[in-house]
Amino acid sequence: MGTTQLETVPEPKYWHLRTVLSEALDSEFSVGEILPNERDLAARFGVARATLRQALEQLELEGRLQRRRGVGTTVAPPRMGVSVGTTQHAWPGGPHDAWQTLDCAPEVPPAAVAETLVTGRDEPVHVVRRSRVSHGQPVAAELLYIPADSVPDLSGIDAPAGTARARAVLRELQRLELERQENAVELGSARADDARELDRLPGAPVLVVTTRFIARGRTAALSVATYRADTCRLTFGDSGGVEIHHGPERRAS
Amino acid sequence: MGTTQLETVPEPKYWHLRTVLSEALDSEFSVGEILPNERDLAARFGVARATLRQALEQLELEGRLQRRRGVGTTVAPPRMGVSVGTTQHAWPGGPHDAWQTLDCAPEVPPAAVAETLVTGRDEPVHVVRRSRVSHGQPVAAELLYIPADSVPDLSGIDAPAGTARARAVLRELQRLELERQENAVELGSARADDARELDRLPGAPVLVVTTRFIARGRTAALSVATYRADTCRLTFGDSGGVEIHHGPERRAS
DNA sequence: AAGTGGTCTAGACCACTTA
DNA sequence: AAGTGGTCTAGACCACTTC
């Protein structure tokens, strides 16, 4: 009984550290500023480096910090608003499209994708790669799976692959009448190739946006877009790019 | 020159482990099955426990595994589709609402919220807490911030707080004409209170859905909903709850 | 070459669940 | 009490960037 009810739930050190650091970021650091290195910070707080890193990982996940190997840890700017699925009822590659078409190649899609498209297993589809850049940095990488019978008339195109073919495929796609599209967002981790394109390490957290484009009662195309979770806030619905960020204003120390 | 181009980019152990385990999950485990404990698994793969845990963390982030302290690690079912922002142009608490109203209390909102609502700092607003359950488990916790002047006529209500008041506030809100709503999704980590409600540990990854309800040209209400990122796939737009999951079918060994 | 973050180890102890 | 995942330590080495 003599024990007053302090610390009923002892908070993990890394969680407490996260809070302390978060407040320090709000009050004593400005965007872009470099933090002391991990070894110094760990020593300053009297914890092992691994524990400090756990706290930094949390803050990076929340988009507060940016860490670059060989460089250092900097205070991240507020996440940028990236609009997704606002252009309802529009095919990819249309007039107001935020994406840059890279290339195209025939490929056998993963089983889950083949299941959604009605194609049989081991049947190759057109795979168009696109990337999305915002405010000068890459924010998303996309794979567009398009079954052969969604774009039946590719006769005029010689190239079996490459940017030219990609554009041709998208142009053909426009000719179908789009009934509707279905969107979903979930958390994932960047595969090696996506990571490279997004300038991140493999396993970095990403928001995966899956879009089914439906025409003639069937899935005419399937888009799987991987967005950097650390730098992006996805906006959808009627929205534009409204700024809602957490925490008070950052000011210089 | 004698060196053949093997291992140009030496893959981290934990990443390789993740791949191996992921394939094992596809081929040798069925949903709900319990994996060997971490110490055994680490020994089996000849790595330190910390390294194995890094791989497990990845798989948990991807929604493939579920870990519970004191219990063990099990194979997670495919993520459930949870529809978000489909009921466009509808106030919270309307007829086809998936949320359960918990309670309501006056509170001074965080600075970022106060900024979005036009209220001054230190001015309390109604804060309605709601929770969302799907397939028998909690999937989201919500805080609804409603400025006093969005619900001017609360005269008939005695209770200063509690469920009754929460319902009254939502009922009053219906009387405004909703112009539109703006949605955004971003990655976050669960605060202590959200974590408790979602049956997770603090810091667990969550998808934060922010919705601005706009009426009379102003933000009449602001919803901040935290969804479990491990178990949920958010669907929006025209979508229903279509099932697209990664990897082949899971079957029993 | 120096300095940074990223990976990895081998151990210890703690919090929680179950029996 | 036994077994699980969660936290934490003190150290080592590696990959990368910058000077």
Side-chain angles (χ1 to χ4, degrees):
Chain A
M1 343 163 170
T3 69
T4 51
Q5 196 181 350
L6 287 174
E7 301 269 347
T8 56
V9 177
E11 203 174 39
K13 271 190 190 176
Y14 78 90
W15 186 254
H16 182 240
L17 246 183
R18 184 208 78 106
T19 309
V20 171
L21 286 170
S22 177
E23 284 164 3
L25 290 181
D26 286 336
S27 61
E28 294 167 34
F29 287 88
S30 53
V31 169
E33 203 168 336
I34 306 177
L35 267 63
N37 72 54
E38 298 183 347
R39 290 161 179 87
D40 284 354
L41 276 179
R44 184 176 313 186
F45 286 105
V47 298
R49 192 178 154 218
T51 304
L52 175 84
R53 277 178 61 81
Q54 239 180 312
L56 294 184
E57 263 152 40
Q58 285 284 341
L59 291 167
E60 194 181 26
L61 202 74
E62 295 168 34
R64 305 289 310 274
L65 292 180
Q66 187 166 354
R67 301 194 286 172
R68 274 171 303 173
R69 168 152 50 175
V71 180
T73 302
T74 57
V75 180
R79 285 189 176 129
M80 58 182 110
V82 176
S83 83
V84 168
T86 38
T87 319
Q88 288 291 7
H89 306 285
W91 288 108
H96 303 311
D97 198 308
W99 294 86
Q100 186 184 349
T101 306
L102 297 181
D103 57 25
C104 173
E107 259 179 59
V108 176
V113 172
E115 205 173 301
T116 303
L117 307 171
V118 195
T119 67
R121 304 238 163 176
D122 305 330
E123 184 182 327
V125 302
H126 303 289
V127 179
V128 175
R129 286 199 317 126
R130 301 197 300 169
S131 78
R132 184 167 176 175
V133 174
S134 185
H135 297 81
Q137 67 176 306
V139 293
E142 183 198 44
L143 291 180
L144 251 172
Y145 299 95
I146 302 167
D149 58 2
S150 290
V151 285
D153 194 12
L154 279 176
S155 54
I157 310 303
D158 298 332
T163 311
R165 186 173 182 84
R167 287 194 220 283
V169 167
L170 292 183
R171 196 166 50 240
E172 277 304 302
L173 200 57
Q174 315 284 336
R175 298 173 53 169
L176 282 175
E177 192 185 350
L178 180 60
E179 279 176 28
R180 68 181 200 282
Q181 64 187 61
E182 297 181 348
N183 300 283
V185 194
E186 62 187 314
L187 181 58
S189 50
R191 298 192 322 277
D193 49 350
D194 290 332
R196 212 176 320 111
E197 192 165 347
L198 296 176
D199 195 23
R200 301 256 59 197
L201 291 175
V206 291
L207 296 171
V208 181
V209 179
T210 311
T211 305
R212 278 213 309 159
F213 294 92
I214 299 172
R216 301 178 305 187
R218 296 175 50 255
T219 304
L222 179 67
S223 154
V224 179
T226 336
Y227 287 81
R228 283 185 61 152
D230 55 344
T231 56
C232 294
R233 196 183 67 253
L234 307 184
T235 65
F236 61 95
D238 315 74
S239 155
V242 198
E243 288 299 319
I244 303 175
H245 57 268
H246 304 113
E249 298 296 319
R250 280 87 166 200
R251 56 181 173 78
S253 63
Chain B
M1 343 158 170
T3 68
T4 51
Q5 196 181 349
L6 287 174
E7 302 269 346
T8 56
V9 176
E11 203 175 39
K13 270 191 192 178
Y14 79 91
W15 186 254
H16 181 241
L17 245 183
R18 184 209 78 106
T19 308
V20 171
L21 285 170
S22 177
E23 284 164 3
L25 289 180
D26 286 336
S27 61
E28 295 168 34
F29 287 88
S30 53
V31 170
E33 205 169 335
I34 306 176
L35 266 64
N37 72 54
E38 297 182 348
R39 290 161 179 88
D40 284 355
L41 276 178
R44 184 175 312 187
F45 287 104
V47 300
R49 194 177 151 218
T51 304
L52 174 84
R53 278 179 60 81
Q54 239 181 312
L56 294 184
E57 263 151 40
Q58 286 282 341
L59 291 168
E60 194 180 26
L61 202 75
E62 294 168 33
R64 306 288 310 273
L65 291 180
Q66 187 167 353
R67 301 194 287 173
R68 275 172 302 173
R69 166 151 51 173
V71 180
T73 302
T74 57
V75 180
R79 284 187 177 135
M80 58 182 109
V82 177
S83 83
V84 168
T86 38
T87 319
Q88 288 290 7
H89 306 284
W91 287 107
H96 303 311
D97 196 309
W99 295 85
Q100 185 184 351
T101 306
L102 296 182
D103 56 26
C104 173
E107 258 178 61
V108 176
V113 172
E115 205 173 302
T116 304
L117 308 171
V118 194
T119 67
R121 305 240 164 175
D122 305 331
E123 185 181 327
V125 301
H126 302 289
V127 179
V128 174
R129 286 200 316 129
R130 302 197 300 169
S131 78
R132 185 167 176 174
V133 175
S134 185
H135 298 79
Q137 67 176 306
V139 293
E142 183 198 42
L143 290 181
L144 249 171
Y145 299 94
I146 303 167
D149 58 2
S150 290
V151 285
D153 194 12
L154 279 176
S155 53
I157 309 303
D158 298 332
T163 312
R165 187 173 181 84
R167 287 194 219 283
V169 167
L170 292 184
R171 197 165 50 239
E172 277 303 302
L173 200 56
Q174 314 286 336
R175 299 173 53 170
L176 284 174
E177 191 185 352
L178 180 60
E179 279 176 27
R180 69 181 199 282
Q181 64 187 60
E182 295 181 351
N183 300 282
V185 194
E186 62 187 313
L187 181 58
S189 50
R191 298 191 324 277
D193 49 350
D194 290 331
R196 212 177 319 112
E197 192 165 347
L198 296 177
D199 194 24
R200 301 256 60 197
L201 291 174
V206 290
L207 296 171
V208 181
V209 179
T210 311
T211 306
R212 276 212 313 157
F213 294 92
I214 300 173
R216 301 179 305 188
R218 296 175 50 253
T219 304
L222 180 67
S223 155
V224 179
T226 357
Y227 288 80
R228 283 185 60 155
D230 54 345
T231 56
C232 295
R233 195 184 67 252
L234 307 184
T235 66
F236 61 95
D238 315 74
S239 156
V242 198
E243 289 298 318
I244 303 174
H245 56 269
H246 303 113
E249 299 295 319
R250 280 87 166 199
R251 56 180 172 79
S253 65

